[in-house]
């Protein structure tokens, strides 16, 4: 039976690219229960599947098997909070596209994103796009964030699809890998893909001047081959990022600067809030852990998004 990779999913149809690079429109037969995950989408872009040809002339098929995933990124579903939504499967890295203005990506969002990818052990890169619209102060702030996140182990890149700034470096980061592009609506994910693969001509739309928000131009995740052996998954903008499947006690493990200090807390079950002898709060007081990161940690701890 033919095998392939899911390159687009609309919820009812899955486009599967076979090894011979043909694209088939496939459906799922019956119900799939995978790894006991409660998810709204059993098959995600990036999944390797086996399928049966249904109508060779029409190019349609039926997915009969989903191969075990090497990894996946899941977030809490917007519609069913007890369920997760798989953003993509089998990726080598995630690129978070962030903009400090028009629209503004908050540090809370960035940190939630990084905690999510850390929890799935997926390397992340932050791309600060729309550098061309930043004021001098904006550029200084962006540079401070680059220093903060680079120190924590996340590569950062400043780009502009308008001026072409660092697009060569962006291409370099992607080369030979499968990358999920994620971020708020309107930050320029599809524009970035167009810049490195102009033949694709993905739809993009202006950010609403009134709401300072994107208009959700991309509605389904889709994988593109932008160069030989280089795949990029463009995905719909996400507004908020609920942490799926995470216990309170786990969260600090996904902050690299906290993870390094966990053995130094007096209590092994320390949540790093008011506990005496806490190495994390001491590091915050000494300026060794950024306050913004710590506050975002507290907010994730308090939020209801960390409950199953
Ligand atoms: N000034 C400036 N505008 C940009 C840049 N990159 C993208 N844009 C504009 O930002 C708007 C949104 O870009 P899109 O590529 O549609 O954004 P997206 O992230 O794909 O948005 P969704 O598909 O809704 O998630 C468009 O008007 C782009 O022309 C940039 O580097 N500088
Ligand atoms: Mg888009
Ligand atoms: Zn502690």
């Amino acid at each position: 039976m033919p095998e392939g990779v899911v390159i687009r999913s609309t919820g009812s149809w899955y486009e599967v690219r076979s090894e011979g690079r043909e694209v088939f429109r496939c459906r799922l037969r019956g119900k799939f229960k995978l790894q006991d995950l409660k998810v709204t989408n059993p098959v995600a872009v990036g999944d390797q599947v086996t399928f049966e040809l249904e109508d060779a002339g029409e190019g349609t098929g039926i997915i009969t098997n989903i191969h075990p995933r090497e990894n996946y990124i899941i977030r809490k579903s917007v519609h069913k909070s007890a369920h997760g939504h798989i953003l993509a499967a089998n990726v080598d890295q995630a690129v978070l596209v962030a903009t400090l203005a028009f629209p503004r990506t908050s540090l809370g969002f960035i940190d939630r994103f990084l905690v999510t990818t850390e929890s799935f052990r997926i390397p992340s890169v932050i791309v600060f796009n729309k550098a061309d619209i930043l004021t001098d102060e904006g550029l200084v702030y962006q540079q401070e964030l680059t220093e903060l996140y680079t120190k924590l182990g996340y590569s950062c890149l400043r780009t502009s699809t308008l001026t072409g700034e660092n697009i060569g470096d962006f291409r370099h980061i992607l080369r030979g890998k499968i990358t999920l592009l994620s971020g708020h609506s309107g930050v320029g994910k599809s524009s970035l893909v167009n810049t490195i693969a102009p033949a694709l001509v993905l739809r993009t739309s202006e950010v609403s001047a009134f709401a300072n928000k994107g208009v959700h131009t991309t509605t389904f995740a889709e994988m593109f081959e932008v160069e030989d052996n280089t795949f990029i998954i463009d995905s719909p903008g996400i507004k908020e990022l609920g942490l799926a499947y995470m216990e309170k006690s786990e969260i600090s493990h996904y902050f690299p600067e906290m993870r390094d200090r966990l053995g130094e807390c007096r209590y092994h079950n320390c949540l790093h809030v008011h506990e005496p002898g806490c190495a994390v709060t001491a590091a915050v007081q000494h300026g060794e852990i950024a306050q913004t990161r710590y506050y975002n940690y507290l907010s994730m701890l308090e939020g209801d998004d960390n409950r199953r």
Side-chain angles (χ1 to χ4, degrees):
M1 267 194 271
E3 297 186 352
V5 58
V6 176
I7 57 169
R8 188 164 188 265
S9 138
T10 65
S12 41
W13 283 97
Y14 303 92
E15 284 180 16
V16 178
R17 198 178 92 144
S18 70
E19 283 156 345
R21 297 182 167 212
E22 254 182 288
V23 177
F24 295 88
R25 271 163 52 85
C26 295
R27 286 175 297 142
L28 273 185
R29 180 153 54 204
K31 283 211 162 174
F32 272 88
K33 265 211 152 175
L34 281 158
Q35 302 164 1
D36 293 324
L37 280 179
K38 269 190 174 177
V39 291
T40 51
N41 56 335
V43 180
V45 171
D47 265 326
Q48 299 283 344
V49 298
T50 306
F51 61 100
E52 247 167 41
L53 273 184
E54 193 181 32
D55 183 329
E58 291 277 315
T60 55
I62 291 172
I63 293 173
T64 54
N65 185 31
I66 302 163
H67 303 192
R69 295 179 176 127
E70 244 166 68
N71 64 31
Y72 53 86
I73 304 184
I74 194 167
R75 68 155 171 146
K76 211 169 71 170
S77 161
V78 197
H79 309 291
K80 290 179 165 177
S81 63
H83 285 64
H85 180 85
I86 307 173
L87 295 177
N90 304 319
V91 298
D92 295 312
Q93 63 182 357
V95 165
L96 173 62
V97 183
T99 49
L100 298 181
F102 214 60
R104 188 181 132 70
T105 305
S106 69
L107 297 189
F109 185 82
I110 293 178
D111 290 340
R112 276 189 154 72
F113 187 89
L114 297 176
V115 163
T116 301
T117 54
E118 283 282 343
S119 75
F120 295 111
R121 296 195 172 78
I122 294 171
S124 293
V125 173
I126 309 174
V127 166
F128 292 103
N129 190 37
K130 305 200 187 186
D132 56 284
I133 61 169
L134 291 185
T135 58
D136 287 348
E137 280 134 48
L139 286 170
V140 169
Y141 179 53
Q142 192 267 314
Q143 185 54 33
E144 286 169 8
L145 295 182
T146 293
E147 278 158 28
L148 165 63
Y149 287 104
T150 306
K151 246 187 236 160
L152 299 175
Y154 305 107
S155 300
C156 296
L157 188 66
R158 177 174 110 180
T159 58
S160 165
T161 66
L162 215 70
T163 66
E165 183 178 356
N166 290 335
I167 294 301
D169 289 357
F170 178 60
R171 194 191 295 272
H172 187 76
I173 286 172
L174 305 178
R175 194 155 284 158
K177 296 194 166 128
I178 303 175
T179 302
L180 170 70
L181 266 193
S182 192
H184 286 324
S185 177
V187 294
K189 299 179 292 297
S190 301
S191 305
L192 280 161
V193 178
N194 283 337
T195 311
I196 55 163
L200 292 174
V201 207
L202 302 189
R203 231 158 61 75
T204 65
S205 309
E206 274 178 32
V207 171
S208 139
F210 171 69
N212 190 17
K213 279 182 183 153
V215 293
H216 294 280
T217 310
T218 305
T219 44
F220 298 109
E222 184 162 3
M223 185 190 288
F224 302 98
E225 188 170 22
V226 293
E227 275 178 34
D228 258 4
N229 224 7
T230 297
F231 298 88
I232 193 160
I233 301 171
D234 187 16
S235 64
I238 45 185
K239 207 180 280 170
E240 282 166 49
L241 196 58
L243 308 177
Y245 307 105
M246 211 174 286
E247 303 284 353
K248 278 179 193 288
S249 57
E250 272 178 82
I251 300 175
S252 58
H253 296 247
Y254 306 132
F255 281 77
E257 69 274 53
M258 297 188 191
R259 186 166 57 214
D260 288 348
R261 295 174 161 91
L262 296 179
E264 298 161 29
C265 293
R266 185 176 306 161
Y267 301 107
H268 79 279
N269 58 351
C270 186
L271 286 178
H272 327 297
V273 186
H274 295 304
E275 295 90 339
C278 171
V280 168
T281 46
V284 175
Q285 272 153 21
H286 296 141
E288 291 154 14
I289 288 180
Q291 300 232 343
T292 59
R293 295 272 296 167
Y294 183 63
Y295 287 139
N296 290 332
Y297 165 74
L298 291 180
S299 138
M300 288 178 226
L301 203 60
E302 283 164 13
D304 62 359
D305 55 0
N306 55 322
R307 294 193 198 115
R308 277 173 201 261

PDB file of all heavy atoms in Angstrom, residues 180-205:
ATOM      1  N   LEU A 180       8.278  23.994  11.566  1.00  0.00           N
ATOM      2  CA  LEU A 180       6.949  24.574  11.770  1.00  0.00           C
ATOM      3  C   LEU A 180       7.108  26.067  12.002  1.00  0.00           C
ATOM      4  O   LEU A 180       7.882  26.503  12.851  1.00  0.00           O
ATOM      5  CB  LEU A 180       6.270  23.959  13.006  1.00  0.00           C
ATOM      6  CG  LEU A 180       4.979  24.672  13.433  1.00  0.00           C
ATOM      7  CD1 LEU A 180       3.853  24.452  12.432  1.00  0.00           C
ATOM      8  CD2 LEU A 180       4.529  24.216  14.824  1.00  0.00           C
ATOM      9  N   LEU A 181       6.373  26.862  11.214  1.00  0.00           N
ATOM     10  CA  LEU A 181       6.343  28.322  11.400  1.00  0.00           C
ATOM     11  C   LEU A 181       5.086  28.644  12.184  1.00  0.00           C
ATOM     12  O   LEU A 181       3.976  28.295  11.762  1.00  0.00           O
ATOM     13  CB  LEU A 181       6.190  29.028  10.057  1.00  0.00           C
ATOM     14  CG  LEU A 181       7.361  29.519   9.261  1.00  0.00           C
ATOM     15  CD1 LEU A 181       6.861  30.448   8.161  1.00  0.00           C
ATOM     16  CD2 LEU A 181       8.375  30.220  10.130  1.00  0.00           C
ATOM     17  N   SER A 182       5.247  29.319  13.304  1.00  0.00           N
ATOM     18  CA  SER A 182       4.072  29.619  14.105  1.00  0.00           C
ATOM     19  C   SER A 182       4.144  31.053  14.629  1.00  0.00           C
ATOM     20  O   SER A 182       5.174  31.717  14.511  1.00  0.00           O
ATOM     21  CB  SER A 182       4.001  28.607  15.252  1.00  0.00           C
ATOM     22  OG  SER A 182       2.760  28.682  15.888  1.00  0.00           O
ATOM     23  N   GLY A 183       3.056  31.518  15.203  1.00  0.00           N
ATOM     24  CA  GLY A 183       3.025  32.890  15.723  1.00  0.00           C
ATOM     25  C   GLY A 183       1.637  33.473  15.530  1.00  0.00           C
ATOM     26  O   GLY A 183       0.759  32.841  14.938  1.00  0.00           O
ATOM     27  N   HIS A 184       1.456  34.692  16.023  1.00  0.00           N
ATOM     28  CA  HIS A 184       0.165  35.353  15.886  1.00  0.00           C
ATOM     29  C   HIS A 184      -0.192  35.563  14.414  1.00  0.00           C
ATOM     30  O   HIS A 184       0.683  35.569  13.546  1.00  0.00           O
ATOM     31  CB  HIS A 184       0.213  36.752  16.529  1.00  0.00           C
ATOM     32  CG  HIS A 184       0.205  36.738  18.029  1.00  0.00           C
ATOM     33  ND1 HIS A 184      -0.495  35.828  18.781  1.00  0.00           N
ATOM     34  CD2 HIS A 184       0.817  37.557  18.912  1.00  0.00           C
ATOM     35  CE1 HIS A 184      -0.313  36.088  20.062  1.00  0.00           C
ATOM     36  NE2 HIS A 184       0.488  37.126  20.176  1.00  0.00           N
ATOM     37  N   SER A 185      -1.457  35.813  14.174  1.00  0.00           N
ATOM     38  CA  SER A 185      -1.897  36.185  12.833  1.00  0.00           C
ATOM     39  C   SER A 185      -1.331  37.564  12.484  1.00  0.00           C
ATOM     40  O   SER A 185      -1.322  38.462  13.313  1.00  0.00           O
ATOM     41  CB  SER A 185      -3.428  36.224  12.802  1.00  0.00           C
ATOM     42  OG  SER A 185      -3.871  36.646  11.543  1.00  0.00           O
ATOM     43  N   GLY A 186      -0.835  37.712  11.272  1.00  0.00           N
ATOM     44  CA  GLY A 186      -0.383  39.017  10.805  1.00  0.00           C
ATOM     45  C   GLY A 186       1.088  39.329  11.039  1.00  0.00           C
ATOM     46  O   GLY A 186       1.564  40.400  10.664  1.00  0.00           O
ATOM     47  N   VAL A 187       1.833  38.387  11.632  1.00  0.00           N
ATOM     48  CA  VAL A 187       3.254  38.653  11.895  1.00  0.00           C
ATOM     49  C   VAL A 187       4.119  38.449  10.652  1.00  0.00           C
ATOM     50  O   VAL A 187       5.287  38.841  10.628  1.00  0.00           O
ATOM     51  CB  VAL A 187       3.808  37.783  13.057  1.00  0.00           C
ATOM     52  CG1 VAL A 187       3.166  38.161  14.380  1.00  0.00           C
ATOM     53  CG2 VAL A 187       3.608  36.300  12.768  1.00  0.00           C
ATOM     54  N   GLY A 188       3.530  37.803   9.628  1.00  0.00           N
ATOM     55  CA  GLY A 188       4.270  37.663   8.368  1.00  0.00           C
ATOM     56  C   GLY A 188       4.801  36.258   8.094  1.00  0.00           C
ATOM     57  O   GLY A 188       5.788  36.101   7.377  1.00  0.00           O
ATOM     58  N   LYS A 189       4.136  35.243   8.628  1.00  0.00           N
ATOM     59  CA  LYS A 189       4.596  33.868   8.390  1.00  0.00           C
ATOM     60  C   LYS A 189       4.535  33.521   6.898  1.00  0.00           C
ATOM     61  O   LYS A 189       5.513  33.059   6.315  1.00  0.00           O
ATOM     62  CB  LYS A 189       3.720  32.872   9.184  1.00  0.00           C
ATOM     63  CG  LYS A 189       3.792  33.092  10.694  1.00  0.00           C
ATOM     64  CD  LYS A 189       2.911  32.115  11.456  1.00  0.00           C
ATOM     65  CE  LYS A 189       1.412  32.310  11.242  1.00  0.00           C
ATOM     66  NZ  LYS A 189       0.909  33.625  11.712  1.00  0.00           N
ATOM     67  N   SER A 190       3.366  33.747   6.309  1.00  0.00           N
ATOM     68  CA  SER A 190       3.226  33.409   4.884  1.00  0.00           C
ATOM     69  C   SER A 190       4.121  34.313   4.034  1.00  0.00           C
ATOM     70  O   SER A 190       4.698  33.870   3.041  1.00  0.00           O
ATOM     71  CB  SER A 190       1.766  33.540   4.455  1.00  0.00           C
ATOM     72  OG  SER A 190       0.942  32.687   5.230  1.00  0.00           O
ATOM     73  N   SER A 191       4.264  35.572   4.448  1.00  0.00           N
ATOM     74  CA  SER A 191       5.147  36.483   3.702  1.00  0.00           C
ATOM     75  C   SER A 191       6.582  35.969   3.714  1.00  0.00           C
ATOM     76  O   SER A 191       7.297  36.050   2.713  1.00  0.00           O
ATOM     77  CB  SER A 191       5.129  37.885   4.318  1.00  0.00           C
ATOM     78  OG  SER A 191       3.811  38.367   4.400  1.00  0.00           O
ATOM     79  N   LEU A 192       7.019  35.437   4.857  1.00  0.00           N
ATOM     80  CA  LEU A 192       8.379  34.899   4.947  1.00  0.00           C
ATOM     81  C   LEU A 192       8.551  33.713   4.001  1.00  0.00           C
ATOM     82  O   LEU A 192       9.579  33.586   3.327  1.00  0.00           O
ATOM     83  CB  LEU A 192       8.700  34.481   6.390  1.00  0.00           C
ATOM     84  CG  LEU A 192       9.096  35.618   7.335  1.00  0.00           C
ATOM     85  CD1 LEU A 192       8.938  35.188   8.802  1.00  0.00           C
ATOM     86  CD2 LEU A 192      10.533  36.082   7.075  1.00  0.00           C
ATOM     87  N   VAL A 193       7.533  32.852   3.949  1.00  0.00           N
ATOM     88  CA  VAL A 193       7.613  31.703   3.035  1.00  0.00           C
ATOM     89  C   VAL A 193       7.691  32.210   1.599  1.00  0.00           C
ATOM     90  O   VAL A 193       8.512  31.757   0.799  1.00  0.00           O
ATOM     91  CB  VAL A 193       6.409  30.754   3.217  1.00  0.00           C
ATOM     92  CG1 VAL A 193       6.493  29.595   2.228  1.00  0.00           C
ATOM     93  CG2 VAL A 193       6.347  30.208   4.643  1.00  0.00           C
ATOM     94  N   ASN A 194       6.861  33.190   1.263  1.00  0.00           N
ATOM     95  CA  ASN A 194       6.895  33.751  -0.096  1.00  0.00           C
ATOM     96  C   ASN A 194       8.253  34.352  -0.426  1.00  0.00           C
ATOM     97  O   ASN A 194       8.710  34.282  -1.560  1.00  0.00           O
ATOM     98  CB  ASN A 194       5.833  34.850  -0.245  1.00  0.00           C
ATOM     99  CG  ASN A 194       4.433  34.270  -0.410  1.00  0.00           C
ATOM    100  OD1 ASN A 194       4.281  33.124  -0.822  1.00  0.00           O
ATOM    101  ND2 ASN A 194       3.425  35.052  -0.072  1.00  0.00           N
ATOM    102  N   THR A 195       8.880  34.950   0.568  1.00  0.00           N
ATOM    103  CA  THR A 195      10.157  35.609   0.310  1.00  0.00           C
ATOM    104  C   THR A 195      11.234  34.601  -0.064  1.00  0.00           C
ATOM    105  O   THR A 195      12.079  34.877  -0.907  1.00  0.00           O
ATOM    106  CB  THR A 195      10.588  36.421   1.558  1.00  0.00           C
ATOM    107  OG1 THR A 195       9.480  37.202   1.963  1.00  0.00           O
ATOM    108  CG2 THR A 195      11.748  37.330   1.253  1.00  0.00           C
ATOM    109  N   ILE A 196      11.183  33.424   0.579  1.00  0.00           N
ATOM    110  CA  ILE A 196      12.229  32.459   0.221  1.00  0.00           C
ATOM    111  C   ILE A 196      11.788  31.512  -0.896  1.00  0.00           C
ATOM    112  O   ILE A 196      12.627  30.858  -1.508  1.00  0.00           O
ATOM    113  CB  ILE A 196      12.714  31.653   1.445  1.00  0.00           C
ATOM    114  CG1 ILE A 196      11.547  30.964   2.134  1.00  0.00           C
ATOM    115  CG2 ILE A 196      13.480  32.520   2.423  1.00  0.00           C
ATOM    116  CD1 ILE A 196      12.029  29.880   3.047  1.00  0.00           C
ATOM    117  N   ALA A 197      10.495  31.416  -1.149  1.00  0.00           N
ATOM    118  CA  ALA A 197      10.014  30.553  -2.232  1.00  0.00           C
ATOM    119  C   ALA A 197       8.932  31.299  -3.005  1.00  0.00           C
ATOM    120  O   ALA A 197       7.747  30.996  -2.896  1.00  0.00           O
ATOM    121  CB  ALA A 197       9.482  29.240  -1.675  1.00  0.00           C
ATOM    122  N   PRO A 198       9.333  32.291  -3.796  1.00  0.00           N
ATOM    123  CA  PRO A 198       8.365  33.190  -4.438  1.00  0.00           C
ATOM    124  C   PRO A 198       7.381  32.459  -5.340  1.00  0.00           C
ATOM    125  O   PRO A 198       6.268  32.947  -5.554  1.00  0.00           O
ATOM    126  CB  PRO A 198       9.249  34.133  -5.268  1.00  0.00           C
ATOM    127  CG  PRO A 198      10.627  33.977  -4.737  1.00  0.00           C
ATOM    128  CD  PRO A 198      10.722  32.619  -4.132  1.00  0.00           C
ATOM    129  N   ALA A 199       7.758  31.281  -5.835  1.00  0.00           N
ATOM    130  CA  ALA A 199       6.872  30.560  -6.741  1.00  0.00           C
ATOM    131  C   ALA A 199       5.590  30.112  -6.037  1.00  0.00           C
ATOM    132  O   ALA A 199       4.580  29.854  -6.692  1.00  0.00           O
ATOM    133  CB  ALA A 199       7.594  29.353  -7.326  1.00  0.00           C
ATOM    134  N   LEU A 200       5.617  30.027  -4.715  1.00  0.00           N
ATOM    135  CA  LEU A 200       4.448  29.520  -3.997  1.00  0.00           C
ATOM    136  C   LEU A 200       3.283  30.507  -3.974  1.00  0.00           C
ATOM    137  O   LEU A 200       2.126  30.127  -3.985  1.00  0.00           O
ATOM    138  CB  LEU A 200       4.824  29.151  -2.553  1.00  0.00           C
ATOM    139  CG  LEU A 200       5.754  27.942  -2.410  1.00  0.00           C
ATOM    140  CD1 LEU A 200       6.174  27.775  -0.957  1.00  0.00           C
ATOM    141  CD2 LEU A 200       5.064  26.669  -2.901  1.00  0.00           C
ATOM    142  N   VAL A 201       3.584  31.791  -3.926  1.00  0.00           N
ATOM    143  CA  VAL A 201       2.578  32.858  -3.901  1.00  0.00           C
ATOM    144  C   VAL A 201       1.465  32.574  -2.889  1.00  0.00           C
ATOM    145  O   VAL A 201       0.285  32.453  -3.233  1.00  0.00           O
ATOM    146  CB  VAL A 201       1.937  33.122  -5.294  1.00  0.00           C
ATOM    147  CG1 VAL A 201       1.464  34.563  -5.382  1.00  0.00           C
ATOM    148  CG2 VAL A 201       2.879  32.814  -6.423  1.00  0.00           C
ATOM    149  N   LEU A 202       1.832  32.450  -1.627  1.00  0.00           N
ATOM    150  CA  LEU A 202       0.835  32.237  -0.573  1.00  0.00           C
ATOM    151  C   LEU A 202       0.060  33.523  -0.335  1.00  0.00           C
ATOM    152  O   LEU A 202       0.586  34.629  -0.483  1.00  0.00           O
ATOM    153  CB  LEU A 202       1.520  31.827   0.735  1.00  0.00           C
ATOM    154  CG  LEU A 202       2.378  30.577   0.675  1.00  0.00           C
ATOM    155  CD1 LEU A 202       2.805  30.179   2.083  1.00  0.00           C
ATOM    156  CD2 LEU A 202       1.612  29.450   0.026  1.00  0.00           C
ATOM    157  N   ARG A 203      -1.188  33.342   0.055  1.00  0.00           N
ATOM    158  CA  ARG A 203      -2.029  34.506   0.322  1.00  0.00           C
ATOM    159  C   ARG A 203      -1.593  35.201   1.619  1.00  0.00           C
ATOM    160  O   ARG A 203      -1.309  34.542   2.621  1.00  0.00           O
ATOM    161  CB  ARG A 203      -3.482  34.055   0.450  1.00  0.00           C
ATOM    162  CG  ARG A 203      -4.448  34.846  -0.422  1.00  0.00           C
ATOM    163  CD  ARG A 203      -5.716  34.065  -0.694  1.00  0.00           C
ATOM    164  NE  ARG A 203      -6.441  33.738   0.534  1.00  0.00           N
ATOM    165  CZ  ARG A 203      -7.150  34.617   1.246  1.00  0.00           C
ATOM    166  NH1 ARG A 203      -7.242  35.884   0.879  1.00  0.00           N
ATOM    167  NH2 ARG A 203      -7.787  34.228   2.326  1.00  0.00           N
ATOM    168  N   THR A 204      -1.522  36.517   1.575  1.00  0.00           N
ATOM    169  CA  THR A 204      -1.203  37.298   2.778  1.00  0.00           C
ATOM    170  C   THR A 204      -2.203  38.446   2.841  1.00  0.00           C
ATOM    171  O   THR A 204      -2.809  38.792   1.822  1.00  0.00           O
ATOM    172  CB  THR A 204       0.220  37.902   2.704  1.00  0.00           C
ATOM    173  OG1 THR A 204       0.258  38.849   1.642  1.00  0.00           O
ATOM    174  CG2 THR A 204       1.280  36.832   2.453  1.00  0.00           C
ATOM    175  N   SER A 205      -2.415  39.011   4.011  1.00  0.00           N
ATOM    176  CA  SER A 205      -3.326  40.161   4.115  1.00  0.00           C
ATOM    177  C   SER A 205      -2.818  41.160   5.111  1.00  0.00           C
ATOM    178  O   SER A 205      -2.140  40.799   6.075  1.00  0.00           O
ATOM    179  CB  SER A 205      -4.718  39.752   4.605  1.00  0.00           C
ATOM    180  OG  SER A 205      -5.217  38.710   3.870  1.00  0.00           O
TER     181      SER A 205
END
